Every structure is written in structure tokens, then in C-alpha cells.
């Protein structure tokens, strides 16, 4: 279900015609799936680790509309500033009109009215725009000016719809001669009023942060060159800095390799990077919070409710059902018993629990309605039976809700559940869709930036260790390894080579895997020369990590959820 | 930046802001709460065009050029709305030569053919109408009295219809000069052409629009139920003669004609559906065979065709209204609404020309008051009906006479008297037209 977008962002000439117009031109069936897995072009897909980043938008639908022929390319003429401004203004208007026209057509370029609703069109447009602009965020460097301009301009257009979304509130006004009367006035809808400025601020902070990396001490080298770069610092350091790259770098072979000066980064730079990382983390959390709150507010689509199984038991499978309906119910205990080894499994479990919650809620409602209607006819024992049944449904749905909540707390980075995706897909509320997509896009961006910072820090650490090791005796047993041990922020079972456990729904086997904290687990990764494993001291450096990365770093989960970025790995 | 530059930049920016707001409202489908309960884009655009026309042309009560700012606003806003059509495309094959000289056929995008043909045509009609009004820029022969002027001033030129809000035309004592009159006539000709063209585009788009499900669901079960017994009997006679049919119909008022049209249209839809269904059941239940049904359908279509020609000014039928309301196709919505408002505008201009010619005529022939000033269409509501006229008779008579029954749906009750008055003179449409011709009010 991966939707890839052609990466035309770097081509300024085609910027106007190619990048966003192509990315926006997905017909309805594709757009249903397109929002759910936001893959940034440069990062590939979490499901297909080695997929090429430069895949064209998938065809096979009504039609794809590539560049609309016949439009003039924008020419940046530096000679006559005035005409340039006018030209850009005019072409700016043309672009704006084109953007709005496409939104109005609901992505159906045949005009036939089989497009998507405005809410989904805007949501997709925001997502596609961010993929175009930030999709190639492979380095920590300022955004190219035209990309920045494009981002600002187009977001302004897309967000200006929200300016017209209002709600009526009563307000008291004065008569000229004294006395008051109450009149309804319009004001911006409250959720937009609160959240949109916040999101815009997060946006600005992130872009400014990128701008801050203008003249950094580190630089990047493309992969192809690294291999041949052995001559520089000697075989030793080259093996460190270029030899065996981090796991992520392995998987994402297209990412350029960060390089630091021979002695590592200066203290200042390091501090600055750390600060950036921290603030990006905060932004990430904020964006996630907004996204979650908007999703929670969205209406549950009837399409979802219709596809639910008939009984809670069918949703959950025997094991979980038994545990939920047991007398003593402890969510934590149950979660411990389940196989939550891979993200896929956990997501499946979350989906099922959510489904059960709604099945029971629906039953509860129906019973209540029937109870109301059938009050006359049901007497005596029958009444009792009905009451206890409805109570049971309510009770079970509450338990399931608690369980889901615990699951979410345990795995903060859980990807979107099936219900979330359905909500987004069938949502009609324009304001909510703007908030949801904007916050999701900000999450992705924040995550990417964090990953890039981590890359640089990793290389820096590697180099510093290398330098230390050089200054110490090579054969000292005090245990400095030849290279830093890679600490995965996600535990070993999540590696690609991991064999999947049996699904708890299929066979009643339990896997009692205890949640693994962020300690390094992968013996295979540390190909260290001296065969000495070093207890990484990053654990101490980053105590915060353990708190919310119990089993999984949510950054790792975001990879599947939004951006294709695996957990930033550190050695 | 120099002052002039700054000003124009400010104006430019404010225009951009206006455009953004307009598009935002369109996207919200007129539902300002953002809740998604708005109308479809197609209907939103259609309404936007209609409302724009109402606000811009609603006040065109005199035969004079449009004010500059209104003209600018019209041009600007209509181009925003129509710009959506630029992006409605279809894939067409095209030949391309690749580098090694081989011919390759690839699909390219091209603007959808109906829009490609019609939108430039409609824009041209638009320009023609505005230019026509501009034509009367510096004329100094006729002038207007405000509607509040006392009756004594209005004198014999006082409007005899109900449109009290329109100002009265005054011409010089001896009437207009020949040159002026000729000018008016030629303008009338061209505006008539515009009107015809707009009507034909509108009719064509309406015929292409899909019949909405709501309409189909609301249809009666069979043709007989929809037509009513009397009409059904007339349609299903052995030997069908359209004239005979019309003679049996009561076509005294526009309302009745419209009713007949609605019923016929409904029956045609019902019969077409039945013919397409190929249900084995139909052989059982219906008394009407497939061939007969086909025949009745053809007859009904013939009648509709004749009605269209004899009563060109008929308001929109319920099928038309339903089509417009539930239409989802943005391109068609644009074409339909644009052509409809151009029709209205053309009719307005035509009426204004007629006003002047009538006043001139009255001043010259004070005795021949035989041209009854019957109620003409209410042109200040471009939203509603499409006016029309008989193409053959245009040169021979005044528009007002032709359009005796071109009533706005809203006020046809008031005008019923006028038409009844008129219908007393004639007992058939053909005769009606000839009777009017004889009057020769020109």
C-alpha cells in the first residue's frame, strides 16, 4: 500500500508543473491509501527496506495527470526586477488558481465529479506537498530557497481555507441608548483557533532550525564515494567512519554519510546539536499530541462500523477474550503475556482491541435503544436479563478500552490503527483534516530531523572513540572496543532477520518475552576488532530514552506510521 | 518602492486575498462551519456564478454602459471561477516523433472537449453583451426618469407592466433620430443572436447532464400514471397526429404547458428505463409491449420538440432543475450556469432596448397603442427562467409581445391575468403568433 511520489522538488523548472501537480493528481482510490503511510521519498518505505526512493506515483487508476502541457515555465529574470516581480506575481496567481482548481475538482481531473471530498483533498495535498518539499531531507542543511518558498506559499494557500471556517457564538452588544442584547457573531472555530497557530509555530521552528545548520562543522559524502575513501585517515579510521556504517545507513543506502573533522565535532557544535535534538523531540511530542487529539475528535465512519465482526470474541480471539472476561482483569498482565514482538503484531492486536471496543459499544447502544422501545413488552426476568446484558457490554467495552490505553502507553509510537485510517479517509470535516494532516506532517519532519541529528552524533561518537582508542594502547584490556557498539534504540527482536512468532490468535501459545529496555542486544552488529564488547556509555548519556522507549522507540514506530525512517541507531 | 508601485501592489494583494477567500468558501461548499455538510463543488461553483451575476447585473436597469468598477469586478471574479475549467482535462492520443524518428503514440492531456469549445464561445458572448452596453455610452437622445418621478412627467411613456422599479424612458418629442433607431435595431439583432447562442449552449449542456437518482426515484410507476389518463389516451391513439394532440390540450397558461412538459419528460424517462431493463417480468405485468412503448416514447419526444419551438420561453422543467441541483460534474456546472446567466443578461439588454424602441414608437404613433405591454420576464432574477422567443418572428414583432407567457416562476400568478387577457384573443399558438405579427409594432 505504499504510495511513492516522484521527486521533482529539486528541479526548479518543473517545480510549478511537475512536483505538486503530479503529486496532487491522485485519483480517489489511490488517495484512500496514500495518507496512511506517509513515506518520505528519501527515506524509502519501512516495509520495503531497500526500495528505491525515486519511484513514480503508482499508476493504474482513472488517470494520472502529469504535467499539463502548454504552460509556460517560470523564468527567474534578474534583470528587470519589476517585471520579474510582476511575472512571478502573475504566475503566482496562476499557480494559486491551479491549486484551488485541483482541490475543487477533488483530484478528479476529468471534472466528472468522482473526486474526493474537500477534506480529503486538502489532507492529501498537504501530505503530498510535504513529501515533495521535505522528501529529500537527507542532510542537516538549510532548505533550498525555492523549496522553502514553495512550502510557505502553498501551505498558505491550503491553510487559507481554514480562515473561512467559523462558528457562531453569542455575544452581548449594547444598544445605543443603553441596554444590551445578545447577538450571534462569528469567530474562528475554536479547535482551529488554538491549534493552527501552534502548528505554524512548530513549522517555523523546524525550518529555522534547519537554517541554523548553514555552516556546520560536519559535511556529507555520498555513499558511492565512501567506499573508495580509504586513503584519508588510514585504514583504521576509515573503517570507523566509512567502513561499517550504522544499521540505518546500511538499510538506507541512499542516505549520504555524515563526516566530521578528524577529532570530532567541537563542544559547541555538539551542544548545539544536542539542543536541537531536544527541541525537535519536544516538537515531535507536541505534534503527536495535536494529531492524537484531532483523531480522537473525528467521527467514527459508518464504513468502519459496518465492517466490524459481530461479536467481541470474534474480534479478539479466544485468548484475549478469555482474559478480558475473566473476573480479575489486569491490562498490564495481559499485555505481558501477548506477543508484542513486532510492530506488526502489536498493531494487529491494537486493531482488534479497538474493534472489540466498538462492537461492544454498539451492542450497548442497541440494547439501550431496544430496551427503551421494548420496555413495555419486557417484564420481570426479561428485564433483568436485558439490563445485565447491556451492563456486560458496557463493562467489557470499558475493559477493552483500558487495555487499549495501556497498550498505547506502552508503545507510544504505535502506527495508525485501522480505525484511525478509516477516520481520515472518510472524514468530511475540513478543519479537522487540515489539523490532522498538518500535525502528521510536522511529526514526520521533526522525526526526520532528529534522525539526521542522530546520524551526525553517531559519526561524531565513532570518530571520538576512534581517536580515544588511538591515544590508548591498542591492546589495553580496559575494554575500549575498536568501534562503538551499536545501540539500537529498538531492541533486537525487531531486526529484519527476526523470525516472526506465532500469532496469538492462531494458536494458544504464549510468548513470554519481557519488554526489553534500550540496552544493546545485537551481538551480530558489533564486529569489533578486538572481540571485546564494550558496555556502551550512551546509556548513561541519555537516561531519558528509557522512559518512553521501553520496548520500542516511538521514533522507530513512526517509521512505519508516517515516515519511513527506522529507529535512529546509535553505536 | 515608488508610491504607484506600492498602491498597485496593495491592490494586487487585496485581490489575491479576495480570490483566496472566494476559493476557500467554494471549497467549504458554502458550509462555513467546516463540518463538511456543504454542497458539492459543482453546485457551489454554479451558485457562485449565479450569485455573482445577480449582484453585478441586477442593477442594470438602464441602457447604458456598466460602471467601470462593476465591469472590472465582473471580469475578475468570473475569470476566477472559470479558471477551474482550465484544469479539467481528458487524455487524448497524440503522435510524437522519438529521437530515432519512429512515430510514437502517447496519451497527452487536453482540456475536455466540451469546455474547450464552449467556454471561449461563452466568453465571447459575454464580451459582446458588455460591448453592446458600452455602445450606448455617449448617446444623448433618450434618457431615463427615475421611478419616483411623478406620473405627469412620465406621461404616455409610462410603463404599463408591473415592473415599477424600472425607470421610464423618455425620447425626444419627435422620436429618435433615424441613426439612433437604426443603431438600436442593429444592437437588438446582435443581442438576439447572443441570446440564441446562449440558449442553445444551455440546452445542450442540460441534455448532456446525467439524470439524477432522486428524480428517478420520485417518478411514478408507469407512463400512464405520470401523464394522467387524458393525455395518455391522446398519446396512445392508433394514428397519432401532433396537431390533433395539441388541439385537445389545454395550453392556456404557461403553468399548464410546463406541467405538460414535466409529465411528458417524466414519461419518457420511465419508458426509456423500462425499455433498457429487459426484465422478463415486464412481459407479464405490463399491458404495453416493447414496440408500443418505443412508439409512445417517440411521440412524446415529438411533442416536446414542438413545445420547445412553439413556447421557447418556457421556464425550466422539473427535470432540468433536478439535473442542475444534483449535478456532480464541475465542467457541466460551469457551462450550464454561465450560459444561463448570459441568457438572462442578453434578455435584460434586449428588454431595455425594447423599452426605448417602444417609447419611440409611442411618441411617433400615439394612437396605435395596440402593442400591449405585457409582462416581460423578470430579468432581475437571473437565477430563474430562461427566456426565449420565436426565431422566425423576431424581425416582425417586439419581444414583449412574443414573451407574453415568459413569466418568472415566482410571479406567474400575478401575471396570469395578463396572459389570460392575451389568450382570449387567440385560440392556438400558431394563430397567436400571426396575430401578433399583424400588429406590426416595431
Amino acid at each position: 500500500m505504499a504510495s511513492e511520489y516522484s521527486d521533482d522538488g529539486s528541479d526548479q523548472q518543473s517545480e510549478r508543473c511537475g512536483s505538486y501537480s503530479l503529486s496532487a493528481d491522485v485519483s480517489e482510490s489511490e488517495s484512500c491509501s496514500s495518507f496512511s503511510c506517509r513515506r518520505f521519498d528519501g527515506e524509502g518505505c519501512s516495509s520495503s527496506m531497500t526500495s528505491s526512493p525515486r519511484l513514480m506515483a503508482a499508476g493504474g487508476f482513472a488517470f494520472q495527470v502529469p504535467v499539463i502541457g502548454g504552460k509556460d515555465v517560470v523564468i527567474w529574470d534578474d534583470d528587470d526586477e519589476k517585471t520579474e516581480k510582476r511575472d512571478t506575481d502573475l504566475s503566482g496567481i496562476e499557480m494559486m488558481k491551479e491549486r484551488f482548481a485541483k482541490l475543487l475538482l477533488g483530484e478528479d481531473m476529468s471534472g466528472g465529479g468522482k473526486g474526493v471530498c474537500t477534506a480529503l483533498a486538502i489532507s492529501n495535498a498537504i501530505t503530498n506537498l510535504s513529501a515533495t518539499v521535505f522528501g529529500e531531507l537527507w542532510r542537516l542543511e538549510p532548505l533550498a530557497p525555492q523549496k522553502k518558498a514553495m512550502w510557505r506559499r502553498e501551505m498558505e494557500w491550503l491553510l487559507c481555507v481554514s480562515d473561512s471556517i467559523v462558528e457562531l457564538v453569542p455575544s452581548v452588544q449594547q444598544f445605543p441608548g443603553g441596554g444590551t442584547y445578545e447577538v450571534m457573531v462569528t469567530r474562528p472555530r475554536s479547535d482551529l483557533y488554538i491549534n493552527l497557530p501552534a502548528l505554524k509555530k512548530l513549522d517555523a521552528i523546524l525550518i529555522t532550525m534547519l537554517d541554523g545548520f548553514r555552516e556546520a562543522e560536519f559535511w556529507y559524502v555520498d555513499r558511492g564515494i565512501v567506499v573508495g575513501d580509504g586513503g584519508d585517515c588510514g585504514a583504521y579510521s576509515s573503517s570507523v567512519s566509512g567502513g561499517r556504517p550504522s544499521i540505518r545507513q546500511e538499510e538506507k543506502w541512499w542516505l549520504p554519510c555524515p563526516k566530521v573533522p578528524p577529532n570530532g565535532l567541537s563542544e559547541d557544535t555538539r551542544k548545539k546539536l544536542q539542543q536541537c535534538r531536544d527541541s525537535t523531540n519536544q516538537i515531535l511530542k507536541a505534534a503527536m499530541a495535536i494529531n492524537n487529539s484531532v483523531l480522537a475528535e473525528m467521527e467514527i465512519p459508518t464504513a468502519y462500523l459496518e465492517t466490524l465482526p459481530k461479536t467481541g470474541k470474534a474480534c479478539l480471539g479466544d485468548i484475549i477474550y478469555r482474559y478480558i472476561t475473566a473476573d480479575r482483569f489486569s491490562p498490564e498482565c495481559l499485555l505481558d503475556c501477548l506477543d508484542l514482538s513486532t510492530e506488526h503484531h502489536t498493531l494487529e492486536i491494537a486493531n482488534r482491541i479497538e474493534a472489540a471496543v466498538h462492537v461492544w459499544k454498539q451492542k450497548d447502544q442497541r440494547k439501550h435503544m431496544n430496551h427503551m422501545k421494548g420496555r413495555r413488552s419486557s417484564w420481570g426476568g426479561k428485564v433483568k436479563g436485558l439490563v445485565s446484558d447491556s451492563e456486560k457490554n458496557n463493562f467489557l467495552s470499558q475493559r477493552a478500552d483500558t487495555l487499549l490505553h495501556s497498550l498505547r502507553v506502552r508503545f507510544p509510537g504505535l502506527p495508525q490503527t485501522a480505525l484511525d485510517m478509516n477516520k481520515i479517509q472518510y472524514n468530511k470535516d475540513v478543519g479537522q483534516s487540515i489539523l490532522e494532516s498538518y500535525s502528521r506532517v510536522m511529526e514526520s519532519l521533526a522525526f526526520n530531523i532528529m534522525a539526521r541529528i542522530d546520524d551526525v552524533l553517531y559519526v561524531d561518537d565513532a570518530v571520538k572513540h576512534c581517536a580515544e582508542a588511538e591515544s590508548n594502547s591498542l591492546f589495553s584490556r580496559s575494554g575500549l572496543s575498536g568501534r562503538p557498539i551499536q545501540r539500537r534504540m529498538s531492541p533486537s527482536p525487531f531486526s529484519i532477520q527476526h523470525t516472526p512468532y506465532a500469532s496469538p490468535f492462531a494458536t494458544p501459545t504464549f510468548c513470554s518475552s519481557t519488554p526489553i529496555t534500550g540496552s544493546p542486544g545485537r551481538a551480530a552488529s558489533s564486529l569489533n576488532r578486538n572481540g571485546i564488547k564494550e558496555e556502551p556509555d550512551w546509556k548513561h548519556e541519555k537516561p531519558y530514552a528509557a522512559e518512553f522507549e521501553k520496548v520500542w522507540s516511538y521514533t522507530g514506530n513512526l517509521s512505519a506510521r508516517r515516515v519511513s525512517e527506522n529507529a535512529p541507531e546509535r553505536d | 518602492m515608488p508610491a504607484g508601485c506600492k498602491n498597485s501592489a496593495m491592490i494586487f494583494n487585496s485581490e489575491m486575498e479576495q480570490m483566496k477567500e472566494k476559493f476557500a468558501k467554494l471549497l467549504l461548499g458554502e458550509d462555513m462551519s467546516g463540518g463538511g455538510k456543504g454542497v458539492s463543488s459543482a453546485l457551489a461553483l454554479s451558485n457562485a456564478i449565479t450569485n455573482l451575476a445577480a449582484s453585478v447585473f441586477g442593477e442594470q436597469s438602464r441602457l447604458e454602459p456598466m460602471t467601470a468598477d462593476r465591469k472590472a469586478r465582473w471580469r475578475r471574479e468570473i475569470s476566477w471561477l472559470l479558471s477551474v475549467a482550465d484544469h479539467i482535462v481528458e487524455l487524448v492520443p497524440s503522435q510524437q516523433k522519438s529521437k530515432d524518428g519512429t512515430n510514437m503514440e502517447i496519451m497527452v492531456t487536453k482540456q475536455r472537449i466540451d469546455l474547450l469549445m464552449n467556454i471561449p464561445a461563452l466568453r465571447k458572448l459575454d464580451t459582446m453583451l458588455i460591448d453592446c452596453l458600452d455602445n450606448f455610452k455617449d448617446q444623448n437622445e433618450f434618457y431615463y426618469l427615475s421611478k419616483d418621478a411623478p406620473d405627469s412627467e412620465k406621461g404616455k411613456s409610462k410603463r404599463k407592466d408591473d415592473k415599477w422599479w424600472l425607470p421610464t424612458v423618455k425620447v425626444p418629442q419627435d422620436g429618435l433620430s433615424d441613426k439612433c433607431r437604426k443603431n438600436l435595431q442593429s444592437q437588438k439583432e446582435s443581442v438576439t443572436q447572443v441570446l440564441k447562442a446562449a440558449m442553445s449552449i444551455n440546452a445542450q449542456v442540460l441534455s448532456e447532464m446525467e439524470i439524477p437518482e432522486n428524480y428517478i426515484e420520485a417518478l411514478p410507476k408507469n407512463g400512464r400514471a405520470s401523464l394522467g389518463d387524458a393525455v395518455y389516451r391522446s398519446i396512445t391513439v392508433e394514428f397519432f397526429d401532433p396537431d390533433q394532440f395539441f388541439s385537445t390540450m389545454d395550453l392556456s397558461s404557461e403553468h399548464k404547458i410546463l406541467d405538460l412538459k414535466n409529465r411528458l419528460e417524466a414519461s419518457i424517462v420511465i419508458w426509456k428505463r423500462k425499455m433498457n431493463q429487459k426484465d422478463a417480468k415486464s412481459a407479464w405485468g405490463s399491458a404495453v409491449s416493447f414496440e408500443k412503448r418505443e412508439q409512445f416514447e417517440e411521440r412524446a419526444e415529438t411533442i416536446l420538440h414542438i413545445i420547445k419551438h412553439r413556447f421557447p420561453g418556457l421556464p425550466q422543467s422539473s427535470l432540468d432543475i433536478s439535473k442542475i441541483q444534483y449535478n456532480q460534474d464541475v465542467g457541466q456546472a460551469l457551462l450550464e450556469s454561465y450560459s444561463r446567466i448570459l441568457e438572462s443578461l442578453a434578455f435584460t439588454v434586449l428588454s431595455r432596448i425594447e423599452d426605448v424602441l417602444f417609447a419611440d414608437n409611442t411618441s411617433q404613433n400615439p394612437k396605435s397603442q395596440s402593442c400591449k405591454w405585457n409582462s416581460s420576464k423578470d430579468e432581475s432574477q437571473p437565477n430563474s427562467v430562461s427566456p426565449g422567443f420565436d426565431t422566425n418572428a423576431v424581425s416582425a414583432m417586439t419581444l414583449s409581445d412574443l414573451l407574453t407567457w415568459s413569466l418568472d416562476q415566482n410571479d406567474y400568478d400575478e401575471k396570469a391575468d395578463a396572459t389570460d387577457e392575451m389568450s382570449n384573443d387567440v385560440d392556438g399558438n400558431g394563430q397567436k403568433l400571426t396575430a401578433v405579427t399583424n400588429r406590426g409594432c416595431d
Side-chain angles (χ1 to χ4, degrees), chain A residues 116 367 384:
Chain A
V116 299
K367 284 250 163 74
K384 269 198 201 150

Side-chain angles (χ1 to χ4, degrees), chain B residues 12-29:
Chain B
F12 183 78
N13 280 337
S14 81
E15 277 183 19
M16 289 271 277
E17 290 307 314
Q18 273 181 22
M19 169 155 64
K20 281 199 268 187
E21 193 181 330
K22 193 139 188 136
F23 275 119
K25 297 211 159 96
L26 282 174
L27 279 170
L28 290 173

